[in-house]
Amino acid sequence: MNTGAGGRMRRTAEALVGRRARLRWVHLVLGGALLMPYWLLSQVMLGALNNSQSHSQQLLLQLASLGTSLPMAAVTALLPTVRTLESAAARALCAPDRPDELATGPARSWAARRRAAAWYVLHLFLGGVVAGMTLAGAPFSVTLVFNFGAARDLAQYWENRFPGWMLTGPALGLAVLALIVGTNAVCGALLARWAPVLLGPTPEERLAAAERRAVVLAQRNRLARELHDSVGHALSAVGIQASAAARVLRSDPDFAAEALAAIEETARAAVAELDSVLGLLREEDTGAHGPAGPTLTGLDDLLRQLAHTGVRVEADLAPGLDRLPAAVSREAYRIVQEGLTNVLRHAGPAPARLRVALADGRLDIALTNPLGPARPSRPGGGRGLRGVGERAAALHGGSEAGPAEDGKTWRLAVWLPITGVRTGGTR
């Protein structure tokens, strides 16, 4: 059975090699067909300068026509769209070593156009060689193999020119066919090797693509942080409130009703924030609808929502938070929200202390809470603190998080630089 499987694999590999050889032959013949207009134009121009009909001068005319047709092809290949067309043809027929590295767009810079022109000339030259050998050599070899009269004449001519070297017509025909196949294989492999080099993006294009990719990743990370901090906080609060309401539904209906009302309020706020984040995702203009997300002026509502879950927060907030730049205020709100959400998730209804201060041209946020009993980690968790660090770094600030020196308290500290805001004490 193993022998049968090995035979099938070998036949499959051979079929793939044969298919690749046929595709590369088509690609090379295509290059020869593209060369023909330039070659005919060169023949017309050079033929007008020399009307001699001698065989030697006609041969020189053919070679000179090839020499002048390639520069003309190089000039036309400077058009931006040539790289797009040649890349598509190479990807489909040439079977290059690294097809993913071929450029898909037009050549914008002169460096890219010169590389595309070099590829175009190489494709047309090698294609002209293979196409010429195929058109002339294949009929010639078939004639030698099957036309015995011509084979005898050729054998006699060969014997007269090279005494002692016997060569029959069929043997020579098969040798010509082997030469055509070998030339096709060598030229096809050469084009496949040079395709990523000449048709691939230039270093400038790679750099521009990397910058665009970085912008896209930054936008995705921003949206991921917004969804994690807003919707994640709301779902955690709703889960805690629903659990508390279920436990006291019969014994304390008033508390249960208050918890359900808090769940409704939290859900409405989460839907509003989700709509704002989706507006950013769709690149909608949210300027007419106010800032994208709450600011530090909404901390009172956040603390009131947490109070319904049993988390008691002792807040020490500096005056003048309403005068902070909108971007700083929004990011600071999200940082505080994520910190308090972590308290809710990992410490439960434990008391927490929040301090937001303005001093020396920067905003300081400090959040501490007692370390509660270890809780099972959530699948896919651990993104919150990383998001806090990314938000702080985006504003050229910093953050620290971890157990305090006493080993009984968890501490989150964040500092954000600000300018143009009067600092003062706390309230």
Side-chain angles (χ1 to χ4, degrees):
M1 182 173 294
N2 291 335
T3 303
R8 287 193 298 271
M9 293 178 62
R10 184 172 60 255
R11 289 191 295 271
T12 301
E14 292 173 352
L16 291 176
V17 171
R19 180 176 182 273
R20 183 178 63 182
R22 290 192 297 271
L23 289 176
R24 287 181 175 177
W25 177 80
V26 173
H27 185 249
L28 287 165
V29 171
L30 175 62
L34 293 173
L35 177 64
M36 287 301 297
Y38 304 103
W39 184 67
L40 292 175
L41 180 60
S42 297
Q43 273 200 318
V44 171
M45 292 188 301
L46 294 178
L49 300 177
N50 185 7
N51 295 323
S52 176
Q53 299 298 321
S54 64
H55 293 292
S56 59
Q57 291 187 350
Q58 286 296 323
L59 179 59
L60 291 176
L61 176 63
Q62 302 291 334
L63 296 177
S65 299
L66 178 62
T68 56
S69 61
L70 293 177
M72 289 193 296
V75 172
T76 58
L78 294 176
L79 294 174
T81 55
V82 169
R83 187 177 72 169
T84 305
L85 299 175
E86 283 291 313
S87 295
R91 192 179 293 107
L93 300 174
C94 188
D97 298 333
R98 302 183 300 276
D100 295 339
E101 294 188 11
L102 300 187
T104 57
R108 303 295 184 186
S109 64
W110 282 108
R113 295 181 186 182
R114 287 192 295 268
R115 293 169 65 178
W119 164 266
Y120 191 64
V121 169
L122 183 63
H123 181 201
L124 267 59
F125 174 71
L126 296 181
V129 172
V130 171
M133 293 181 64
T134 302
L135 293 175
F140 177 66
S141 62
V142 171
T143 301
L144 291 177
V145 171
F146 294 103
N147 190 337
F148 298 101
R152 285 193 298 270
D153 295 340
L154 182 61
Q156 185 63 42
Y157 174 77
W158 185 273
E159 176 66 20
N160 294 334
R161 292 294 301 271
F162 305 100
W165 292 83
M166 291 299 295
L167 183 65
T168 62
L172 180 59
L174 293 177
V176 172
L177 284 177
L179 178 62
I180 295 174
V181 173
T183 303
N184 174 72
V186 171
C187 293
L190 184 63
L191 286 179
R193 181 175 182 180
W194 280 94
V197 178
L198 297 177
L199 292 179
T202 63
E204 293 77 11
E205 290 174 325
R206 295 180 186 275
L207 179 60
E211 292 175 349
R212 291 192 297 269
R213 178 64 176 168
V215 171
V216 171
L217 289 177
Q219 292 173 344
R220 290 176 58 183
N221 288 336
R222 177 191 176 193
L223 294 173
R225 289 194 302 267
E226 293 294 332
L227 288 173
H228 178 275
D229 294 349
S230 60
V231 180
H233 165 78
L235 291 178
S236 297
V238 166
I240 297 295
Q241 292 165 348
S243 176
R247 287 196 303 268
V248 299
L249 180 61
R250 297 183 182 276
S251 60
D252 193 349
D254 293 337
F255 179 83
E258 184 179 355
L260 291 175
I263 289 174
E264 179 183 6
E265 181 182 355
T266 303
R268 290 181 183 275
V271 169
E273 292 190 22
L274 179 61
D275 184 68
S276 176
V277 174
L278 292 179
L280 293 176
L281 183 62
R282 295 169 181 167
E283 297 184 352
E284 296 176 353
D285 183 11
T286 57
H289 304 287
T295 63
L296 287 178
T297 57
L299 280 182
D300 291 337
D301 294 333
L302 177 63
L303 298 177
R304 182 168 51 83
Q305 291 176 5
L306 287 171
H308 291 296
T309 66
V311 177
R312 301 183 305 276
V313 181
E314 180 183 348
D316 188 6
L317 307 179
L321 296 181
D322 56 336
R323 296 192 299 271
L324 285 173
V328 176
S329 187
R330 284 195 297 270
E331 296 300 315
Y333 178 91
R334 292 302 190 194
I335 290 172
V336 173
Q337 185 183 48
E338 176 57 28
L340 293 175
T341 301
N342 284 338
V343 175
L344 183 62
R345 288 172 179 165
H346 303 293
R353 176 176 175 81
L354 171 66
R355 180 175 179 271
V356 181
L358 290 169
D360 300 328
R362 76 177 197 175
L363 176 67
D364 290 311
I365 300 173
L367 177 63
T368 58
N369 65 274
L371 288 172
R375 296 190 173 191
S377 59
R378 299 178 297 108
R383 299 187 180 92
L385 291 178
R386 183 174 62 186
V388 168
E390 290 174 352
R391 290 181 185 277
L395 296 176
H396 305 287
S399 65
E400 293 179 355
E405 295 180 357
D406 57 8
K408 300 179 180 180
T409 304
W410 181 272
R411 180 175 181 271
L412 171 65
V414 180
W415 55 95
L416 305 175
I418 54 175
T419 57
V421 179
R422 294 177 59 186
T423 60
T426 60
R427 64 171 174 85

